[in-house]
Amino acid sequence: MKRLIVAALAAAPGVAGAQEIDGGNTAWILTSSALVLFMTLPGLALFYGGLVRAKNVLSVLMQCFAICCATTVLWVLFLYSLAFAEGGPLIGGLGKAFFAGVEEGTVSGSIPETAFAMFQLTFAIITPALVVGGFAERMKFSAMLTFSALWSILVYAPVCHWVWAGDGWLFNLGLLDFAGGTVVHITAGVAALVAALVLGKRQGFPTTPMLPHNMTMTVTGAAMLWVGWFGFNGGSALAADGNAAMAILVTHISAAAGATAWAIIEWLRYGKPSALGTVTGMVAGLGTITPASGFVGPGGALVIGLLAGVLCFNATNFLKRKLGVDDSLDVFPVHGVGGILGTLLAGVFASSALGAFSGQGYAEGMTMTSQMGVQVLGVLATLSYTAVVTWVLLKLVGAVMGLRVTAEEESSGLDTAQHNERGYDLSI
Amino acid sequence: MKRLIVAALAAAPGVAGAQEIDGGNTAWILTSSALVLFMTLPGLALFYGGLVRAKNVLSVLMQCFAICCATTVLWVLFLYSLAFAEGGPLIGGLGKAFFAGVEEGTVSGSIPETAFAMFQLTFAIITPALVVGGFAERMKFSAMLTFSALWSILVYAPVCHWVWAGDGWLFNLGLLDFAGGTVVHITAGVAALVAALVLGKRQGFPTTPMLPHNMTMTVTGAAMLWVGWFGFNGGSALAADGNAAMAILVTHISAAAGATAWAIIEWLRYGKPSALGTVTGMVAGLGTITPASGFVGPGGALVIGLLAGVLCFNATNFLKRKLGVDDSLDVFPVHGVGGILGTLLAGVFASSALGAFSGQGYAEGMTMTSQMGVQVLGVLATLSYTAVVTWVLLKLVGAVMGLRVTAEEESSGLDTAQHNERGYDLSI
Amino acid sequence: MKRLIVAALAAAPGVAGAQEIDGGNTAWILTSSALVLFMTLPGLALFYGGLVRAKNVLSVLMQCFAICCATTVLWVLFLYSLAFAEGGPLIGGLGKAFFAGVEEGTVSGSIPETAFAMFQLTFAIITPALVVGGFAERMKFSAMLTFSALWSILVYAPVCHWVWAGDGWLFNLGLLDFAGGTVVHITAGVAALVAALVLGKRQGFPTTPMLPHNMTMTVTGAAMLWVGWFGFNGGSALAADGNAAMAILVTHISAAAGATAWAIIEWLRYGKPSALGTVTGMVAGLGTITPASGFVGPGGALVIGLLAGVLCFNATNFLKRKLGVDDSLDVFPVHGVGGILGTLLAGVFASSALGAFSGQGYAEGMTMTSQMGVQVLGVLATLSYTAVVTWVLLKLVGAVMGLRVTAEEESSGLDTAQHNERGYDLSI
Amino acid sequence: MKMLIAVIKPFKLDAVREALADIGVQGMTVTEVRGFGRQKGHTELYRGAEYTVDLLPKIKLEVALAPDMVERALDAIQKSAKTGQIGDGKIFVYDLDQTVRIRTGEAGVDAV
Amino acid sequence: MKMLIAVIKPFKLDAVREALADIGVQGMTVTEVRGFGRQKGHTELYRGAEYTVDLLPKIKLEVALAPDMVERALDAIQKSAKTGQIGDGKIFVYDLDQTVRIRTGEAGVDAV
Amino acid sequence: MKMLIAVIKPFKLDAVREALADIGVQGMTVTEVRGFGRQKGHTELYRGAEYTVDLLPKIKLEVALAPDMVERALDAIQKSAKTGQIGDGKIFVYDLDQTVRIRTGEAGVDAV
Ligand SMILES: Nc1ncnc2c1ncn2[C@@H]1O[C@H](COP(=O)(O)OP(=O)(O)O)[C@@H](O)[C@H]1O
Ligand SMILES: Nc1ncnc2c1ncn2[C@@H]1O[C@H](COP(=O)(O)OP(=O)(O)O)[C@@H](O)[C@H]1O
Ligand SMILES: Nc1ncnc2c1ncn2[C@@H]1O[C@H](COP(=O)(O)OP(=O)(O)O)[C@@H](O)[C@H]1O
């Protein structure tokens, strides 16, 4: 999120007569909203759906859809207000509950506040949807929905307020998080890890291979994520300007670098690069550049992407193969680790003193050291808050309604067990 | 469609020297055109394609593609002119046939007239494509194409002129139809119903289950429809402004509410919510908000979406299970009923006197009562005109070339029978 | 590419204080960049992927992905500079290597130079990705990657500079190539043909039928190409104006006309139109209108599209059935022939003296005859340069690492042989 | 015990299943197969080239039953699967040595 | 030589394969089939209508072996495929006339 | 009547079909199966973990024929399906009790 613009908007959206809607900026943010929605539906849904076994594919698509719908309803009721209305440093107030006072003509920065609210809603949707990868193939739909709704309220909204609202404490400390390294990727990654631990492994993990049932679906979803990310990071400039354009360029570079790094490692280690490795490295590159995207330059992006590929590859193997944690679709090692790495590197590559690797420079009064302090603090705060609240929520929901499907349902597949449907019937 | 802008444009596009092209608005309408084309191809094609049996999947994709191509050629020849050139209250003239007088520099409102014509063309494409769902799995390709072309000329163009041209009679009565409740959804829904009745049931209906062959395809298509609808309703503001942003926000809310309502009903009634139910409710929510999207607020959208889910669910069951009408993919109960409901509710929730459920208010001189009168009239006129002309057209085309494939072709599938192709060959 | 704007930008991007970023134009070019990336990933990848046999589907997706990543990294290093920095008439200099001097605030025409660089990068990606169709189902991944990277440097960058850089020789001769008839389609088509010849036929060609394994995937990809092409041709106006809108309108018309022509030929000749024929005709229509899209009108577009369908149909049959050349996915007859046809027809239908078939007129001092001379020269130069360099590159790469997989690998499929993966596992 | 294999047209599956159920057959196993025989394949079109595809989709049923049921089963399948057009399919019968129900270990007639 | 056909629950495939390998079976052929028997199908939901789907996914194994292996193989399959719930499947055994390994032309016991 | 089952490599299907047609076989039924035998499976890569996939795609042919055709058919299949590499497949032959053509009710040799 562009800092000044957020500040302006947090202060008094739609009040000052001086503020006017800019058509170019509005066009871009509306487009970006469509792009970010596209990332979740169908992008992420397909990316995740292809990775599970055929008997569970619809359960994953359904989870992404249901989260989108539930978050939207909550957003209208009070979630937008908790995230962005004036409140305290920890959470917003209820002044904008049910979109009170947000009219067609209300301006936020240089765009309609409805455009801002819509754009932000797409972020609030994708974050819990990312978590789905942690508990895929074994969680009850009812528990999933209850958990995700509560999590949006108790994790997403506060952290979002900390970082992007004008009165958020991390915002005011000057945390650099352009498009959601902390707000989106660390929260989602940590929540997925906690969910994987609380729910336990899938039947047969890790001895039975659980290979993707449809890699063409996964690659398609990955491509959609790449395209949609132009709106995610580019839209976070909240304007159609040089900042947005540079954010998109560095985003694209980091995606390519992340994919390249992962593929090369596989090539060296196994003799062959895989499509899944390539697209996973790409997602790692995208997640990692996210917090940095508005602050760094092309050189920095190249380094960030390469590091993302290398680190996330190793984190995936360590977590899944060494520790044996069944974070089904590797959300933590890709998004969590990527989010942490990116938030820290934003503090480095924002510097304007790195020659060809320079970024846009620090805010007045900030140095690399002071900035890094803030970045570390932001990472730790997000990480620990998310871990604790997620754990409590899962225990609670588990106590009330149980988290897992029965063993019989798990082996026959969630699609028929939870939704009375099958993904494919190509026989007739 | 924004009323004033249409008025302006219908009056004298490109003439007044005062009119200037606005870059932001143009960027948004070009983007919206891409989004609405995306709704048909691949969106609707996949949504429908997944719902039929594997042996007919290509026939559905092909029908959507062919309709897109044929409508485009007709649009250039004279369809655009019939819909939007100056003419009478019932139909446009031929002044713009072959795009006469429409140059790069011609302005319509604040955008190039070519942008307006392109945007509107995408609506003219999706409307007959929606009808495909009514006669899927049994209609001859040649008959389908002939019927669709004639229908575009004799149903779509006139109704479009009535509602959106400056000299259209419903336009001048002040009908509120922002993005096509009457023009798109009622015409398509009614035509599909009439087609289902005239063509008769598919072999085996209703005893043989005809389950979707690829629900992942249907869910993907549904997601694309959702994203594309941002352009459908948001683009209908013909500008990148607060009206467009609010239209998108309410569109999104209604989609989520419709999905939620349908899923909850299934959950209560069958113990499980299904992915197909969820996405069908979403499409119902989208279709229903369409006419209202530029006039209502978030509160109204929530109510409209919920009602859409409930009503369309019951309409589907009533039509298919009670009446036994084989509208193959439920076009009438979803789009027809949704279009009627939305056109009526636009008249209600446009009111600025409903507190948290208020909309943008009526035009000067209009009250809820007078507005509802116009809305009812618009619905009835569209519905009855479409029903009659569609019926006559089908009887005519049927007499000339026959409407249905042979029983043998129907049982072996339309893909090989009509196109010498198969959807899938995963064996090698 | 709009000529004046390119001229301006080539002259001195970001220098003149008079140049200012226009929000509407920037919004549109960022959107267009997303659309063109979407054309390659997932568009082209799916279009091509569906056409090969199931055992090779991932290899095709992987090739598109890998080319995207490698080109991006090269673009940052020096490819952008070679293509667009000031240099000579044949190639750009290294002044912008590693994006030296390209900052957030640098302006190019009326948009940030980063936006221009990003937009152009998407063209540099799709061009070598198109070539994949020529050697699909038999080329080694390592050889493919090496070849594609070298080809981007030695073919794409120079030809791009010739045609679109302010000091390029064809640019200065006044070649009309709005969005890449020569730069994209002729280079890709010729390279695919040369690759098909150098690599030789697939095992079993032409006796064994090698039918598409998933036509729904191909149709989906085709639809995405259509939508994305709005950004390809529309974005090449580098502004959100009447030129962009008209470019999109004529693009759309030509696509529809190309599809119609191909389908009608099949209908007449085989008694049935096929989905694959229809979408192939559509791609032919799109490729052919590309160089002409900013210069012609709707009437010209209709003719161009129809001719594209007819000519590319016959070229496909001639090359594959008569000559027996195994250009696996018919890249040359569709893109090569289409690119040549379109570049020539741009010289015709740009004329403002063709009545209803008129275009935007020639540059000052140009007549149809003089313009056609330039067009023919542009075609011949691109064609022969590409053919020679591609041939040398393939021979070189072949000598160093071998071009083809082993016969055993070819028969078991490239997915397991080259990537240790399979496309589908629908069994569990 | 006897095993009966029937290769039929796909859209006849429901009819055959019902006909067998009517005579008391309680179990069967169904496989999607492709058949090659007298029935002509269909033509497929691929960018202007025509190919003949000889292998047509068929359904294979495997039904284990007591020897005294075989005649009735043959009859039921023939009646329900017949369209009179080429490609209706074949029935093959062979001898089973042993039959076991995994769940209970029952063997022979009790197992089917 | 004998041929043994086992229809089992899909998720038991790995277990059965291991059990057979343990007793020395070196080859088998696996087909995805759908089974109809006592096991109730599941319900599918389609826009507010419920359908019962009777045909359930099963795995069919075909194993050719020497006659003296049959008892052990039956035993191994029964143990490894059994869940005790309806739908566990069936095993059928029949006589083979001939067995040939294509690669070498070996016949009989040497061929499997 | 005899039934002949051949499990072969997928890309050999066309060759085998032609070889059988050449000796006068007019019908057969084809199933996609997966085979497990001496042939090593391939490795699959999944985000940095390697798995061995033992079940390899094979094609199963079922051909019913008159007893006097069996030798020639065995021969034809062996010749056309052989690559000499592990995994070429197997042929099994067994006795049929009865054979019926559904369309006509013909039985025995006339039915195939
Ligand atoms: N000799 C055979 N062995 C195995 N299956 C056969 C044989 N002949 C025919 N079939 C199966 O029966 C199906 C129908 O046979 P076909 O000759 O087309 O029709 P019909 O039996 O009505 O003359 C074929 O598609 C094939 O699956
Ligand atoms: N008579 C039969 N012939 C062939 N296959 C059968 C027969 N009966 C059962 N099967 C197969 O065995 C599977 C399990 O049978 P089922 O009756 O459901 O369970 P159980 O054997 O445990 O009582 C079925 O799904 C079917 O594939
Ligand atoms: N005992 C068996 N029973 C059934 N099918 C078998 C048996 N042994 C091998 N097969 C089938 O034959 C195929 C080839 O066998 P394999 O041992 O790999 O090669 P080869 O026969 O050339 O030594 C296997 O993939 C499997 O489908």
Side-chain angles (χ1 to χ4, degrees), chain C residues 208 408 411 416 420 422 427, chain F residues 11 34 42-45 85:
Chain C
T208 313
E408 173 72 20
S411 85
T416 49
N420 275 351
R422 275 173 305 140
S427 65
Chain F
F11 74 98
R34 289 179 295 159
H42 58 270
T43 300
E44 290 197 18
L45 207 53
Q85 258 144 351

Side-chain angles (χ1 to χ4, degrees), chain F:
Chain F
M1 297 293 297
K2 297 278 178 183
M3 178 67 95
L4 198 149
I5 303 184
V7 180
I8 61 170
K9 289 192 169 163
F11 74 98
K12 282 294 191 182
L13 174 57
D14 281 330
V16 174
R17 229 175 54 192
E18 274 167 39
L20 287 172
D22 284 350
I23 61 159
V25 170
Q26 302 209 358
M28 68 190 73
T29 298
V30 176
T31 314
E32 286 156 33
V33 298
R34 289 179 295 159
F36 174 77
R38 303 211 180 154
Q39 185 185 6
K40 281 246 193 64
H42 58 270
T43 300
E44 290 197 18
L45 207 53
Y46 178 59
R47 283 192 177 154
E50 281 185 308
Y51 293 96
T52 304
V53 175
D54 292 321
L55 289 168
L56 297 169
K58 300 278 169 193
I59 287 288
K60 184 171 90 175
L61 295 177
E62 286 165 292
V63 192
L65 17 75
D68 59 356
M69 294 274 290
V70 169
E71 278 318 303
R72 262 179 297 158
L74 284 176
D75 208 55
I77 297 176
Q78 263 178 285
K79 287 215 177 96
S80 56
K82 184 166 172 171
T83 67
Q85 258 144 351
I86 281 191
D88 275 352
K90 304 266 150 49
I91 316 177
F92 308 108
V93 184
Y94 64 89
D95 248 339
L96 284 179
D97 251 29
Q98 294 191 46
T99 315
V100 180
R101 184 193 303 277
I102 292 173
R103 178 165 47 91
T104 57
E106 288 161 287
V109 178
D110 295 336
V112 298

Side-chain angles (χ1 to χ4, degrees), chain E residues 1 3 25-30 62-65 100-104 106 111-112, chain F residues 7-8 33-40 54 56 58 85-90 92:
Chain E
M1 298 293 298
M3 178 68 94
V25 170
Q26 301 209 358
M28 68 189 74
T29 298
V30 175
E62 286 166 292
V63 191
L65 18 73
V100 180
R101 184 192 304 277
I102 292 173
R103 176 164 50 90
T104 58
E106 288 161 286
V112 299
Chain F
V7 180
I8 61 170
V33 298
R34 289 179 295 159
F36 174 77
R38 303 211 180 154
Q39 185 185 6
K40 281 246 193 64
D54 292 321
L56 297 169
K58 300 278 169 193
Q85 258 144 351
I86 281 191
D88 275 352
K90 304 266 150 49
F92 308 108

